[in-house]
Amino acid sequence: MKTSVKKLLVVVFAIGFVAQVAWAADTELRFSWWGGDTRHKPTLEAIKLFEAANPGVKIKAEYMGWGGYTERLATQISGANEPDITQINWAWISTMFSKKGDGFYDLYKAKDVLKLDEWGPNINYGVRNGKLNAIPVSFTSRFYLWQKNTLEKVGIAIPKNWDELFAAGKAFEKLGPEYYPIDGVYYDVFLMSHAYLMQKTGKQWIDPDTDTVILTKAEALDWVKFYKKLSETRAVVPHKLRLSIAPPEAPTEQQQQWVTGQWAGNYTWDSTFKVRMSSLPKTTACDLGEFLSIPNPKNIGFFARPTMMFAVSRNSKNPIIGAKFINFLLTDPDAVKVLSNTRGIPMAKSSYDLLAKEGLFTDLDMKALAQLKKAKIDPPSAWLESARIQELLRSIFETVSLGKSTDEEAVDRLINETNQVLKSIQ
Amino acid sequence: MFVLPFIIGLLTFKLFPFVASFALSFTKYDIINGTGEYVGLKNFTDMFLVDKLFRKSFGVTLFFSLAAVPFRLIMALFVANVLNFKLRGINFFRTAYYLPSVLGGSIAVAILWRFIFSHHGLINVILKKFGIEPIPWLGDEHLAIWTIVLLHVWQFGSAMVIFLAALQNVPVSLYEAAAIDGTSKMQMFFRITIPLITPVIFFNLIVQTVHAFQEFNAPYIITQGGPMKSTYLLSYYIYETCFRYFNMSYGSALAWIMFMAIAFLSAISFWSSKYWVYYSDEKR
Amino acid sequence: MTTATLPLPQYDKTESRLTVKYRGKKVRALIRYLILLGVGLLMMYPLVWLLGASFKTNMQIFSEMGFWPQQFDFTGYIQGWKTSSEYTFARYFLNSFMIIIPRIIVTIVSCVLVAYGFARFDFWFKKPLFAVVVGSFMLPQVVLRVPQYLMFKQFGWLDTYLPFIVPSAFAIDVFFVFMVVQFLRGIPRDMEEAAQIDGCNALQILWYILVPILKPAIISIVVFQFIWTMNDFMGPLIYLSTVAKYPISLALKMSLGATEEVRWANVIAMSIVALIPSLLVFFSAQKYFIEGIATSGIKG
């Protein structure tokens, strides 16, 4: 009896051992991303390509829409349960998950599997405290998108600078009280006025080198006055009117006035051009306008940053494979062909060249890229996109728009209160 | 005492998160990095003394509840009453009246509510016919709250269903007897129906107060708390604190204050229930 | 007791309203019907609009308040059903049901039992316990999310359906406990006392006497739990990470990326399809509401 039990145990152990070895040979990594219909299928295909090239490795796809992604990722990270490879927003690194730089796996440690040259100096977008937290996937910037039909109706050309924009405001009034040159989404208007600030002073609101506000009172006052001028000259839809039509975060393409062309222009990311045009009738022609500026600006004022990045979890059991996977998605020609521009215009040089050769960039894309090439791009401070600062600037500019605060009060808040908040959240 | 195993299970599942969130409210905790420090009552003193947004939000929530709850209850009871008889197609009507609650926070509601209340929306179009200037329902800080109240009242379905169930339980014989005595319908409603369903009215009162305080969907999909935070309901503030600013400890503190406010209001209701709620099972 | 010559009261449930004799009543009935219909249509308009929108193009959806589509384009339904993921909507529907049906069953069992305990028995810690039970319903769920997540992670229940079903098995949905307690307290004890004299024990009383009377309340539990679980987004969001296990509430939002074009007809078509089970449940629950009448009422 005893020996047969012993034999049984040996067999069980043997099986267990073999099973474990066989099982362990199949490493599984979890990969999460957000996206819509156009992004999910190609990404799944790219995953299959990677698995084919790396037998024994399985990538488990955890994908969803944008709504709720941040909540889920934050919950997972707080439980040390985040996926091995995650798609993240650039600003999350320094403002949320990796304030000290160690929130994600340091990809410099995996530099043997990463073709870091592909990104050149742009790799710095993902560096925090000397550690490479994430690799940028694609780049996007804000441009002026115009519906030509309405402009033709008014009989004016696409505005090329601020003065022409203000003149357009007057011209649009003749068409009717519903007509405005630019949709006045408050954040868009804020960024437009911020571009003016950079053009006039060369400084940003939150200085990216020091992460504080270094504006003088006079500069801030000039900025606030310009912000108000945009509504006062009817260049943008006034805040109160816009609010009574749609909530602040409701996208432009969902508004009736955009669909019918009463609002002719939109200051938006080039990655959202397609979206904005998706609700327009087929007869509407859209074009890119010049980046509005003052003559001889100190800094053209482009607001540009990576659209998204890929990071490897600091708790991952297979970080090198994770890094290999990121490298594959972003630089391998087969993967790039499959993924195409579903994540925007790639930042990796060879991928960019490949897609350009395949003619996958639209006219608007090419025009946008041309505008960017002419300018010196200064990355914004990541803190601009932190929730608290976003909330603060909304409250400041909403009170200004609705006439609930004086310009001086707004200036004080823009400088002093902002610095206080920045200190408390860093 | 077969109830006991359930109670134990309930306590296990509820207790840990409860205690955890209660403890959290006394700390300043960073959930991402797992670091935290004990700060005593600082979260609470900040809330009442420093945080202007809290005061605004709490005030808005109180106003909202005081406006929405009575309307909702009255609508629900009235409609339940009307729908309480056997008529061909009554099922269809009941489903129709319950529909808004099922739709909840769907995008249809968001788009349509905007269509109705926006500057060029349905209501303003109708007002124009009477020569009234368009009113910025959603853009004005004094008016926007009413659009939310209306949305909340429109979704009275769940309260209605509970009232319906309660009305069904009132014995028909009582009505028949009263009819013979020559009582009018109004009298029957106030003398028979209402007293017998007071336990359920009480239940709905408590539940609706809690729901009103915890209303989240309406500001989330229609106004995003604006304009000027005039529709910034407390549960929306808590959600943003927890999941936008990731300040779980302050969010917990806020939640517990909300809890105490609701508990206080409920306690008043419970105390007053002695006087107006009639329990048929009372041992007389 | 003759009722032939007296006008029948409004609450008479055994005779259809439209066959009442008096003309005045008929006219009033018609008016009532019309009002009901009018207001009912108001309530239903969003659904009607949604239905129309599922056939429209993006441009039409965002510029028209009218619901009639200009064309009957079914691609919204076809593409929406196929989804852009590895599974069709059939899979997500199945997942939703796999969560909902067990959850409803355990909820009914546990809540009725616990409510019975509170409403009919006295034990020394009853009052404070009841206060705790009712009180726990007053804390907003949102702050419990992260602690609950950590707890379930310890148990190893992440990425399963257990976090949805097991707590309900322990009557954690205190809303229902509270509701059934209130219902029970509205029922006189006479019948139970009679049964007790006959020698029934507590459970038998519950099963044979109270449950039939509680039918409307139980049906309410089914309806509410069904609809609320169906619409629950945050829970599945943080507990489930495998796409194959997603319920409908998550699947509906999968095509809404941040910067990508959305074909709204697809999203709306699937929202409508997702609504159908809830509406069916509600609609069919109605007949139990009517049945309840026959058994309510104390047979003297």
Side-chain angles (χ1 to χ4, degrees):
Chain A
M1 245 344 201
K2 243 184 165 180
T3 42
S4 58
V5 169
K6 245 187 168 174
K7 267 204 199 142
L8 189 64
L9 280 174
V10 169
V11 170
V12 167
F13 270 115
I15 295 178
F17 181 69
V18 170
Q20 217 195 22
V21 167
W23 190 43
D26 229 22
T27 29
E28 191 185 72
L29 281 88
R30 294 163 52 204
F31 172 43
S32 76
W33 75 87
W34 75 80
D37 293 331
T38 49
R39 189 177 292 166
H40 296 318
K41 273 216 160 62
T43 314
L44 289 170
E45 272 180 51
I47 291 180
K48 289 217 173 44
L49 286 176
F50 182 76
E51 287 175 345
N54 294 275
V57 175
K58 283 254 168 302
I59 307 272
K60 183 172 168 230
E62 299 180 0
Y63 52 96
M64 54 180 291
W66 169 250
Y69 188 88
T70 321
E71 288 86 336
R72 175 200 268 191
L73 186 59
T75 313
Q76 287 174 329
I77 290 184
S78 71
N81 193 33
E82 72 271 27
D84 297 89
I85 308 126
T86 34
Q87 180 175 310
I88 62 173
N89 193 334
W90 159 73
W92 294 350
I93 299 176
S94 32
T95 64
M96 275 192 346
F97 298 131
S98 190
K99 283 185 184 167
K100 301 207 191 77
D102 54 0
F104 294 103
Y105 178 76
D106 181 10
L107 287 166
Y108 276 140
K109 292 199 213 141
K111 60 180 187 308
D112 296 327
V113 293
L114 292 169
K115 298 200 193 104
L116 288 174
D117 310 324
E118 291 267 5
W119 293 278
N122 284 326
I123 202 76
N124 288 320
Y125 279 112
V127 175
R128 180 83 181 158
N129 276 353
K131 304 203 178 75
L132 182 59
N133 274 260
I135 310 261
V137 174
S138 52
F139 203 70
T140 185
S141 182
R142 287 220 175 207
F143 300 95
Y144 291 90
L145 182 69
W146 295 95
Q147 291 185 40
K148 291 209 287 218
N149 307 38
T150 320
L151 290 173
E152 277 161 26
K153 247 204 276 193
V154 185
I156 59 177
I158 298 181
K160 288 198 278 304
N161 53 49
W162 294 120
D163 291 324
E164 287 189 19
L165 179 65
F166 298 137
K170 268 214 187 60
F172 268 68
E173 192 164 12
K174 294 204 197 75
L175 279 183
E178 310 289 347
Y179 286 79
Y180 289 92
I182 295 190
D183 179 12
V185 178
Y186 92 95
Y187 192 50
D188 294 351
V189 182
F190 162 77
L191 285 175
M192 282 166 66
S193 63
H194 190 258
Y196 168 80
L197 176 72
M198 288 175 74
Q199 289 156 8
K200 197 89 189 291
T201 66
K203 295 187 202 166
Q204 296 191 37
W205 176 39
I206 301 183
D207 177 50
D209 298 319
T210 61
D211 286 329
T212 58
V213 179
I214 56 173
L215 300 176
T216 66
K217 276 219 174 102
E219 288 167 343
L221 192 60
D222 186 36
W223 176 26
V224 172
K225 284 203 175 0
F226 184 82
Y227 176 87
K228 283 169 55 175
K229 190 169 179 192
L230 286 169
S231 314
E232 286 158 7
T233 56
R234 278 184 109 261
V236 301
V237 181
H239 189 71
K240 185 161 184 171
L241 176 61
R242 223 293 176 163
L243 263 188
S244 73
I245 293 174
E249 271 145 57
T252 303
E253 72 274 4
Q254 289 185 13
Q255 304 319 317
Q256 193 181 6
Q257 290 80 358
W258 169 258
V259 174
T260 54
Q262 288 167 328
W263 295 346
N266 190 220
Y267 182 55
T268 185
W269 304 108
D270 63 324
S271 52
T272 59
F273 284 163
K274 284 215 201 77
V275 181
R276 297 286 183 257
M277 300 192 292
S278 69
S279 64
L280 295 175
K282 297 231 171 23
T283 52
T284 316
C286 285
D287 201 7
L288 211 64
E290 282 293 316
F291 197 78
L292 301 179
S293 170
I294 58 177
N296 302 320
K298 289 212 175 126
N299 182 317
I300 187 80
F302 272 112
F303 188 64
R305 23 75 106 212
T307 330
M308 63 187 78
M309 315 181 74
F310 286 140
V312 172
S313 155
R314 62 180 167 184
N315 299 313
S316 171
K317 297 201 178 58
N318 299 288
I320 306 286
I321 303 182
K324 210 170 163 202
F325 179 61
I326 294 179
N327 191 59
F328 178 80
L329 283 180
L330 298 178
T331 62
D332 181 283
D334 295 318
V336 171
K337 279 217 198 84
V338 160
L339 288 176
S340 164
N341 54 6
T342 58
R343 283 188 167 76
I345 299 176
M347 273 174 105
K349 187 155 191 330
S350 65
S351 315
Y352 174 87
D353 291 335
L354 180 59
L355 292 186
K357 211 167 49 146
E358 305 264 333
L360 284 167
F361 298 151
T362 67
D363 273 345
L364 290 176
D365 287 334
M366 298 306 295
K367 282 199 181 142
L369 286 169
Q371 283 187 13
L372 275 181
K373 274 208 172 61
K374 285 191 286 189
K376 170 179 166 298
I377 315 280
D378 280 331
S381 165
W383 290 102
L384 185 62
E385 300 211 342
S386 81
R388 284 284 278 123
I389 296 292
Q390 289 268 310
E391 185 53 45
L392 179 63
L393 83 85
R394 174 161 147 196
S395 120
I396 296 176
F397 282 99
E398 192 174 45
T399 48
V400 165
S401 306
L402 296 177
K404 296 262 178 229
S405 83
T406 66
D407 299 349
E408 286 70 28
E409 285 168 353
V411 164
D412 181 60
R413 289 184 78 186
L414 280 172
I415 303 180
N416 298 327
E417 191 175 335
T418 311
N419 275 330
Q420 277 173 355
V421 172
L422 280 169
K423 243 204 311 199
S424 73
I425 58 179
Q426 275 176 29
Chain B
M1 294 314 291
F2 45 83
V3 164
L4 209 58
F6 292 102
I7 301 287
I8 294 180
L10 194 158
L11 288 177
T12 327
F13 284 107
K14 267 264 147 87
L15 212 62
F16 171 67
F18 257 72
V19 169
S21 84
F22 190 65
L24 261 181
S25 59
F26 292 105
T27 66
K28 187 174 156 116
Y29 190 70
D30 178 357
I31 62 161
I32 305 298
N33 292 306
T35 60
E37 44 170 9
Y38 179 73
V39 291
L41 290 172
K42 182 163 190 294
N43 283 330
F44 295 99
T45 52
D46 275 348
M47 203 190 306
F48 286 103
L49 299 174
V50 177
D51 192 354
K52 285 184 268 180
L53 190 52
F54 169 71
R55 270 177 251 159
K56 173 96 195 194
S57 182
F58 192 79
V60 168
T61 313
L62 207 58
F63 178 81
F64 174 79
S65 307
L66 287 172
V69 173
F71 274 129
R72 214 192 205 196
L73 280 179
I74 295 175
M75 272 292 272
L77 186 54
F78 179 70
V79 175
N81 205 38
V82 169
L83 293 180
N84 191 29
F85 51 95
K86 194 170 181 174
L87 172 64
R88 259 179 314 154
I90 196 74
N91 286 355
F92 166 77
F93 284 117
R94 287 189 194 151
T95 317
Y97 283 79
Y98 189 61
L99 206 57
S101 299
V102 177
L103 287 174
S106 83
I107 188 163
V109 176
I111 296 182
L112 282 174
W113 222 247
R114 273 186 247 152
F115 263 145
I116 297 176
F117 284 104
S118 93
H119 206 250
H120 318 279
L122 188 63
I123 296 200
N124 278 334
V125 164
I126 297 181
L127 287 178
K128 206 167 183 186
K129 296 229 158 74
F130 288 100
I132 305 180
E133 280 297 304
I135 302 179
W137 299 104
L138 294 169
D140 187 296
E141 48 176 332
H142 301 295
L143 295 174
I145 185 76
W146 290 105
T147 62
I148 307 267
V149 170
L150 209 65
L151 181 62
H152 190 80
V153 171
W154 182 63
Q155 295 181 329
F156 62 81
S158 39
M160 175 192 87
V161 167
I162 297 181
F163 275 135
L164 255 180
L167 288 173
Q168 303 277 336
N169 266 347
V170 178
V172 187
S173 46
L174 287 176
Y175 293 121
E176 288 172 353
I180 287 153
D181 280 349
T183 346
S184 75
K185 267 171 280 175
M186 278 276 262
Q187 281 177 314
M188 277 199 264
F189 183 70
F190 283 104
R191 292 270 176 80
I192 303 180
T193 319
I194 297 220
L196 282 179
I197 60 171
T198 43
V200 175
I201 296 184
F202 175 65
F203 168 74
N204 262 340
L205 178 67
I206 303 270
V207 165
Q208 290 308 319
T209 311
V210 177
H211 277 170
F213 254 85
Q214 294 184 355
E215 173 69 47
F216 172 75
N217 268 325
Y220 186 60
I221 61 176
I222 312 275
T223 61
Q224 270 132 37
M228 301 285 298
K229 299 281 180 295
S230 60
T231 58
Y232 203 58
L233 293 183
L234 199 54
S235 74
Y236 190 58
Y237 183 28
I238 295 178
Y239 172 78
E240 288 211 320
T241 308
C242 285
F243 282 110
R244 248 188 105 199
Y245 308 143
F246 294 106
N247 193 351
M248 289 283 163
S249 36
Y250 192 63
S252 296
L254 285 173
W256 279 94
I257 294 294
M258 177 202 257
F259 170 79
M260 293 209 262
I262 300 178
F264 179 69
L265 285 174
S266 306
I268 297 182
S269 302
F270 264 99
W271 171 81
S272 78
S273 75
K274 276 190 288 188
Y275 300 102
W276 56 277
V277 181
Y278 167 72
Y279 288 114
S280 314
D281 67 344
E282 230 98 82
K283 296 196 164 88
R284 286 170 244 110
Chain C
M1 271 177 254
T2 56
T3 52
T5 50
L6 286 171
L8 294 167
Q10 178 192 355
Y11 305 100
D12 188 307
K13 301 169 181 77
T14 55
E15 195 169 317
S16 171
R17 197 80 187 78
L18 294 174
T19 62
V20 165
K21 299 168 179 59
Y22 292 81
R23 262 187 109 227
K25 291 238 147 103
K26 237 186 183 160
V27 168
R28 260 194 285 171
L30 194 63
I31 295 178
R32 281 216 183 91
Y33 216 145
L34 281 174
I35 297 180
L36 259 186
L37 198 68
V39 178
L41 281 176
L42 248 163
M43 300 278 155
M44 282 204 47
Y45 190 71
L47 184 62
V48 172
W49 186 86
L50 263 185
L51 196 59
S54 64
F55 297 112
K56 291 183 182 173
T57 66
N58 277 356
M59 183 201 105
Q60 294 165 338
I61 292 176
F62 293 114
S63 54
E64 299 170 353
M65 193 166 151
F67 68 92
W68 193 257
Q70 288 174 13
Q71 67 282 327
F72 279 94
D73 185 358
F74 279 93
T75 52
Y77 288 93
I78 302 174
Q79 281 178 358
W81 186 262
K82 287 204 250 175
T83 81
S84 55
S85 65
E86 306 143 285
Y87 315 97
T88 70
F89 236 78
R91 180 62 178 258
Y92 302 126
F93 258 104
L94 197 67
N95 289 341
S96 275
F97 285 126
M98 291 217 299
I99 299 179
I100 293 176
I101 295 182
R103 192 171 190 201
I104 291 182
I105 298 175
V106 299
T107 305
I108 296 179
V109 169
S110 62
C111 287
V112 171
L113 278 172
V114 173
Y116 184 47
F118 275 118
R120 290 294 193 251
F121 297 95
D122 279 312
F123 33 99
W124 62 274
F125 46 86
K126 169 165 140 170
K127 272 223 156 75
L129 198 58
F130 190 63
V132 166
V133 165
V134 173
S136 69
F137 151 69
M138 298 177 189
L139 193 71
Q141 264 275 34
V142 91
V143 293
L144 300 174
R145 288 288 175 200
V146 175
Q148 273 175 336
Y149 181 82
L150 295 173
M151 189 172 78
F152 289 127
K153 177 167 183 273
Q154 287 296 92
F155 294 164
W157 289 357
L158 288 182
D159 211 25
T160 68
Y161 293 148
L162 290 171
F164 303 107
I165 302 178
V166 179
S168 288
F170 289 98
I172 206 156
D173 302 292
V174 287
F175 173 84
F176 299 125
V177 174
F178 189 21
M179 179 175 91
V180 178
V181 165
Q182 291 304 101
F183 266 88
L184 279 173
R185 298 190 70 184
I187 299 175
R189 299 191 186 215
D190 315 13
M191 288 203 288
E192 298 157 59
E193 284 165 0
Q196 239 175 358
I197 294 168
D198 279 349
C200 291
N201 68 30
L203 279 175
Q204 285 174 314
I205 295 180
L206 177 65
W207 179 252
Y208 289 111
I209 298 180
L210 288 175
V211 168
I213 299 182
L214 281 177
K215 256 209 186 127
I218 294 182
I219 298 296
S220 304
I221 297 182
V222 172
V223 170
F224 287 141
Q225 190 68 306
F226 187 92
I227 293 174
W228 292 348
T229 313
M230 194 65 133
N231 286 343
D232 181 21
F233 177 73
M234 275 303 267
L237 175 73
I238 59 175
Y239 295 135
L240 298 173
S241 46
T242 313
V243 179
K245 297 191 184 152
Y246 281 4
I248 294 181
S249 50
L250 285 184
L252 278 177
K253 299 211 174 166
M254 259 204 307
S255 9
L256 304 178
T259 56
E260 290 178 46
E261 256 183 275
V262 177
R263 191 158 184 273
W264 286 99
N266 296 14
V267 177
I268 290 178
M270 286 305 107
S271 309
I272 293 181
V273 174
L275 274 179
I276 293 178
S278 301
L279 291 177
L280 280 178
V281 165
F282 185 79
F283 200 76
S284 40
Q286 298 302 308
K287 79 173 171 121
Y288 291 99
F289 276 114
I290 311 250
E291 245 175 56
I293 316 156
T295 53
S296 79
I298 313 292
K299 318 281 198 285

